[in-house]
Amino acid sequence: MSTTPPLIPEQRHQEILRLLRSAGVLSIRHIVDLLGVSHMTVRRDIAALEESGQVVSVQGGVRLSEWKGSEPPRERASRAGLELPRKRAIAELAAGLVDDDMVVFLDAGTTCEAVVPFLATRRGLTVVTNDFFVVTTLLDYPSIETIHTGGVVDVSSGSSSGSLAAATLGSISLDLFFLSTGTWDVAHGVTTPATDKVVLKKAAMAASSSCVLLADSTKFGTFERFKVAPLDALDIAITDADLPPDARASLGDLGLDLRLATV
């Protein structure tokens, strides 16, 4: 019976850096769980990365040295330029699921925003969103009917959420829900750092005939404190072809319809 060999220190260092590029900051306990190594091993790895100037220790965890915030980079300006080729490839593949006369919910986020230009040729399309940037982009496509959910405004992400936004979705029948996330993995599913976002995403899932996750491979293997849904509750997940083979196998074991966009 074959077993996966343990990672050598350099491999662990690269994996920690990859996770930090996605999450911004990670707790030591989180890294221990993800890498399957001891607490002491992770502390040694962090010390080595800190000595090389790549990371900085924070209370209970670690962050990238070039990142100055006290939380993961969730501000729209911080995320807008990240992984652009992956986002475009995922967005184009996602748009292929949209037919004429559909009602589609685009979740808040730069990947969902990237879907909009690929919908230009659809007829009779209605797009519902909680993202003000998506609404602004849709102004260039007057043939697409646009509905904003309203709700409590989150200035940093340029979106709204909470019970008021969820109530709007309770009055709409959606054909497709394009769900975005900054964190997803097999054990925790889709997660988010704020409960008001959970409320809205769950309402969109309940209102929709089909739920499609849009998340690039750099976000896989990370999680936040509040759970939105397990991955096997979704219909389709669209990510990029850089998703590692072992991750693909794990998602396949869940029965998830996984689709890989070529960057």
Side-chain angles (χ1 to χ4, degrees):
M1 180 177 177
S2 63
T3 58
T4 303
L7 298 179
I8 64 174
E10 178 62 25
Q11 289 174 314
R12 293 197 306 272
H13 297 172
Q14 293 304 313
E15 180 63 10
I16 291 171
L17 291 172
R18 183 187 74 81
L19 293 169
L20 287 172
R21 282 191 289 270
S22 173
V25 63
L26 291 168
S27 69
I28 292 173
R29 180 178 178 181
H30 188 173
I31 299 173
V32 167
D33 292 341
L34 290 175
L35 298 186
V37 295
S38 70
H39 193 276
M40 187 60 67
T41 295
V42 170
R43 284 201 173 275
R44 285 197 297 266
D45 290 339
I46 290 173
L49 289 168
E50 192 166 23
E51 186 176 357
S52 67
Q54 298 179 83
V55 304
V56 174
S57 293
V58 296
Q59 182 69 33
V62 63
R63 65 169 172 82
L64 291 174
S65 59
E66 68 269 23
W67 186 65
K68 307 301 182 183
S70 59
E71 294 182 346
R74 298 180 189 122
E75 296 80 6
R76 193 59 167 252
S78 301
R79 295 183 287 109
L82 297 176
E83 305 294 346
L84 287 177
R86 298 175 195 269
K87 291 175 182 177
R88 292 192 186 103
I90 292 169
E92 184 173 12
L93 188 57
L97 299 173
V98 180
D99 295 326
D100 293 347
D101 301 313
M102 274 189 169
V103 181
V104 178
F105 184 85
L106 290 180
D107 202 359
T110 53
T111 304
C112 284
E113 182 186 354
V115 175
V116 173
F118 296 107
L119 302 178
T121 60
R122 304 300 189 277
R123 299 172 63 87
L125 183 66
T126 299
V127 170
V128 186
T129 186
N130 62 320
D131 191 311
F132 293 104
F133 288 91
V134 170
V135 170
T136 301
T137 303
L138 282 164
L139 294 177
D140 293 329
Y141 304 91
S143 63
I144 299 176
E145 183 177 12
T146 303
I147 300 172
H148 193 277
T149 61
V152 178
V153 175
D154 177 3
V155 175
S156 66
S157 67
S159 65
S160 61
S161 57
S163 58
L164 290 174
T168 299
L169 294 178
S171 302
I172 301 174
S173 180
L174 301 170
D175 296 298
L176 275 176
F177 169 31
F178 285 126
L179 167 66
S180 70
T181 186
T183 51
W184 63 302
D185 73 358
V186 172
H188 302 86
V190 176
T191 54
T192 183
T195 54
D196 56 349
K197 297 181 186 299
V198 174
V199 170
L200 180 65
K201 292 176 191 289
K202 284 184 175 292
M205 289 185 68
S208 182
S209 299
S210 183
C211 180
V212 182
L213 175 66
L214 307 185
D216 70 62
S217 63
T218 67
K219 300 182 175 89
F220 184 79
T222 62
F223 63 91
E224 282 285 1
R225 67 182 66 184
F226 300 115
K227 181 176 288 188
V228 175
L231 295 182
D232 57 8
L234 312 179
D235 296 292
I236 299 171
I238 301 179
T239 187
D240 58 86
D242 288 336
L243 189 71
D246 58 340
R248 300 183 195 185
S250 297
L251 294 172
D253 291 341
L254 294 176
L256 184 64
D257 183 354
L258 181 65
R259 306 190 184 186
L260 303 176
T262 301
V263 180

